[in-house]
Amino acid sequence: MNHYCYFNGQILPEDAIRFQINDLGILRGYSVFDYLRTYNFTPFLLQDYLIRFENSVKSIDLSLPISKEEIAEKIDELLFWRADKTQDVGIRLLMTGGYSENGFNAPENPNFLIRIEDLRPKPSTDYEQGVKVITHQYQRELPEIKTTNYSRALIIQKAMQVQKAVDALYHLDGNISECTRNNFFLFKGNTLVTPKNNILRGITRKTVLELASNKFQVEERDIYLEELKEATEAFKTGTNTRVLPVIQIDELKINKKQVGPNTKALMQMFADFAHESTLMD
Amino acid sequence: MNHYCYFNGQILPEDAIRFQINDLGILRGYSVFDYLRTYNFTPFLLQDYLIRFENSVKSIDLSLPISKEEIAEKIDELLFWRADKTQDVGIRLLMTGGYSENGFNAPENPNFLIRIEDLRPKPSTDYEQGVKVITHQYQRELPEIKTTNYSRALIIQKAMQVQKAVDALYHLDGNISECTRNNFFLFKGNTLVTPKNNILRGITRKTVLELASNKFQVEERDIYLEELKEATEAFKTGTNTRVLPVIQIDELKINKKQVGPNTKALMQMFADFAHESTLMD
């Protein structure tokens, strides 16, 4: 669907928006983004996402052209203008370094886009049956910032398809960090473990850790590949993914390829929280 | 100057070219480029650049939409159409993953651009007096491929300006690789030394090594920061930079901040080679 977007001060239909080729995002990968979604037609954990986006912007030495409060207002306006108000949507924030005269020096004005996107839910069978991931030696640059640099994830897309995997789990010399666009968790019995370092500070991750701490022991620490053998359950999280069970990693089968009870409990707890917290807004 | 560009089969003025926001270069940094220039209005070492560009394209699992021979023809056509035929120009090749319906899966058709650019020569005083660089702990991802991921170089731009440096020399735990967009060399007496690993395979670098081997001993190997103290001369190379003397690295002065005779000799040898090889074309 061709939603409206906010672009540098204007509300425009998406297909009216174009980037000139001297944009530093295109020429130099100098850009950051964030992505949130609505539940009950209301942005979920908006303040968390806005704070993270502002941090990403500052981390590449740019600054927001409008305040976080104004961004929230523009999002409301875009949600008001969307054609189909019966569907929840994704909301992408994107800032590039702007149009550079010489293709390198950052100009005064960045390009700032807010884009409403159709949600692209994963098949419900993925949640019911769990998914396979492969492992891949790689560490994202600047992992705590959401730069647009996801080229490795796209480069290994075909390898994932060939191996019937939906994602790759990155590790550096065996030290696990994250999936291509998701955080990773495992259970060892009733202890929930997730990598602490070199990861995106996922907001779904944070929410899951908070919810889990009421019911499970929680550990944030280094995890090495060999520890995967001891996992009794595994899952990955993300804004679009929510809580998605992982039942195979390369050739290693987790819990005999059955979605485990603790993962199911967290899936439900997260769904309930997302629903209730947006109803309250 | 608003030059003509080639974009997905068409020759268009630059300001008529726009990227849609669902381009995988914009959304995901999924793109590669290359940059060459003319001397005597003739592309310099065109075949080397086309081969490197094709390798970059293949490395991110894409393929050229037109052959290298056709790219050469399009470049000729663009050079014919440029308004001012008295100026040498830069030529940028850029390929992005294309317009993706879901913002992640690579579509059939990449976006392929050839852009003629005004050259932006560095001040002649830089060549006469040499320049300062700072050191910076960093290693480019996929250094041998020209992905558009140069965000670190832009993030540290202000730090370079504050320190009156024109560039940064990257190292990983003291092991030197390259400058932000240039290869790095030093002389120890009449021995020319340059990093061998984790660098862009620069075509100016290769040319300089070939030219230097007639006159100097040449070593391609690991260089550590502490070895910089023993450098009698230093310089950096790039398509736009050519051979640019470096006379200060952080607080370390090289050759008492004088441009040394071996660097001057290579500057002249490179200029002569560029001139003569394009005249012969």
Side-chain angles (χ1 to χ4, degrees), chain A residues 19 28 101 138 141 148, chain B residues 19 28 120 138 141 148:
Chain A
F19 282 80
R28 300 295 181 182
E101 183 67 26
Y138 178 71
E141 275 187 33
T148 55
Chain B
F19 282 80
R28 300 297 181 180
R120 300 181 192 277
Y138 179 70
E141 276 188 32
T148 54

Side-chain angles (χ1 to χ4, degrees), chain A residues 1 5 7 14 17-31 33 59-62 92 94 96 100-106 113 115 117 120 138-142 145 147-155 157-161 180-181, chain B residues 1 5 7 14 17-31 33 59-62 92 94 96 100-106 113 115 117 120 138-142 145 147-155 157-161 180-181:
Chain A
M1 188 163 306
C5 297
F7 189 56
E14 166 162 342
I17 294 172
R18 297 285 187 275
F19 282 80
Q20 297 176 30
I21 63 180
N22 59 342
D23 176 75
L24 287 176
I26 297 175
L27 292 179
R28 300 295 181 182
Y30 188 48
S31 46
F33 78 108
S59 296
I60 66 163
D61 209 19
L62 293 175
R92 186 178 301 272
L94 176 73
T96 75
S100 173
E101 183 67 26
N102 71 356
F104 193 74
N105 291 111
L113 173 80
R115 184 191 189 206
E117 301 183 356
R120 300 178 192 280
Y138 178 71
Q139 170 64 63
R140 275 203 305 130
E141 275 187 33
L142 309 169
I145 310 170
T147 70
T148 55
N149 177 25
Y150 281 68
S151 56
R152 180 65 66 103
L154 280 98
I155 293 170
Q157 246 180 2
K158 285 179 194 158
M160 296 191 300
Q161 283 163 10
T180 63
R181 293 171 291 163
Chain B
M1 188 164 304
C5 297
F7 189 55
E14 167 162 340
I17 294 172
R18 297 285 187 275
F19 282 80
Q20 297 176 29
I21 64 180
N22 60 342
D23 176 75
L24 287 176
I26 296 176
L27 292 179
R28 300 297 181 180
Y30 188 48
S31 46
F33 78 108
S59 296
I60 67 164
D61 208 21
L62 294 176
R92 185 177 302 271
L94 176 73
T96 75
S100 173
E101 183 66 27
N102 70 357
F104 193 74
N105 291 111
L113 173 81
R115 183 190 190 205
E117 300 183 357
R120 300 181 192 277
Y138 179 70
Q139 170 65 61
R140 275 203 304 130
E141 276 188 32
L142 311 169
I145 309 171
T147 70
T148 54
N149 176 25
Y150 280 69
S151 57
R152 180 65 67 102
L154 280 99
I155 293 170
Q157 246 181 359
K158 284 180 194 158
M160 296 192 300
Q161 283 163 9
T180 62
R181 293 171 290 162

Side-chain angles (χ1 to χ4, degrees), chain A residues 22-255:
Chain A
N22 59 342
D23 176 75
L24 287 176
I26 297 175
L27 292 179
R28 300 295 181 182
Y30 188 48
S31 46
V32 289
F33 78 108
D34 219 306
Y35 178 79
L36 65 152
R37 60 159 289 174
T38 65
Y39 290 97
N40 297 313
F41 323 117
T42 302
F44 177 55
L45 297 176
L46 176 62
Q47 288 309 313
D48 291 288
Y49 285 97
L50 290 178
I51 289 167
R52 184 171 72 178
F53 182 64
E54 185 175 41
N55 283 338
S56 293
V57 166
K58 284 180 180 169
S59 296
I60 66 163
D61 209 19
L62 293 175
S63 52
L64 290 180
I66 61 176
S67 68
K68 294 198 290 297
E69 292 68 31
E70 288 170 301
I71 294 174
E73 286 168 20
K74 295 300 172 190
I75 289 173
D76 271 350
E77 201 172 334
L78 292 171
L79 293 176
F80 177 80
W81 283 107
R82 73 194 188 280
D84 177 356
K85 292 197 178 59
T86 69
Q87 299 290 324
D88 276 309
V89 291
I91 302 161
R92 186 178 301 272
L93 310 173
L94 176 73
M95 188 181 299
T96 75
Y99 299 136
S100 173
E101 183 67 26
N102 71 356
F104 193 74
N105 291 111
E108 294 283 310
N109 299 314
N111 281 317
F112 176 48
L113 173 80
I114 308 171
R115 184 191 189 206
I116 304 296
E117 301 183 356
D118 291 334
L119 289 173
R120 300 178 192 280
K122 299 173 192 302
S124 60
T125 48
D126 283 4
Y127 293 89
E128 292 152 18
Q129 300 170 12
V131 298
K132 176 182 174 183
V133 303
I134 56 173
T135 58
H136 184 79
Q137 162 105 355
Y138 178 71
Q139 170 64 63
R140 275 203 305 130
E141 275 187 33
L142 309 169
E144 302 196 3
I145 310 170
K146 281 186 86 76
T147 70
T148 55
N149 177 25
Y150 281 68
S151 56
R152 180 65 66 103
L154 280 98
I155 293 170
I156 62 176
Q157 246 180 2
K158 285 179 194 158
M160 296 191 300
Q161 283 163 10
V162 166
Q163 295 180 70
K164 296 189 169 53
V166 303
D167 205 347
L169 176 58
Y170 293 144
H171 66 93
L172 194 64
D173 299 329
N175 190 355
I176 292 166
S177 54
E178 58 189 0
C179 293
T180 63
R181 293 171 291 163
N182 279 176
N183 290 113
F184 177 79
F185 295 74
L186 56 84
F187 271 108
K188 293 171 81 169
N190 284 326
T191 301
L192 181 64
V193 194
T194 193
K196 182 174 189 175
N197 298 309
N198 299 316
I199 57 165
L200 181 75
R201 297 289 146 193
I203 289 163
T204 308
R205 173 186 184 275
K206 187 185 76 163
T207 306
V208 164
L209 285 174
E210 285 167 4
L211 295 169
S213 64
N214 298 320
K215 192 173 162 75
F216 304 106
Q217 192 176 331
V218 168
E219 297 178 3
E220 293 180 70
R221 60 171 170 81
D222 285 346
I223 302 175
Y224 286 83
L225 285 177
E226 54 257 44
E227 190 171 345
L228 294 177
K229 289 196 295 287
E230 302 162 19
T232 52
E233 303 182 34
F235 62 90
K236 63 193 194 103
T237 64
T239 298
N240 186 43
T241 302
R242 296 168 288 142
V243 177
L244 182 60
V246 172
I247 47 90
Q248 186 171 351
I249 304 170
D250 294 332
E251 297 314 308
L252 176 72
K253 295 177 177 65
I254 309 280
N255 193 35

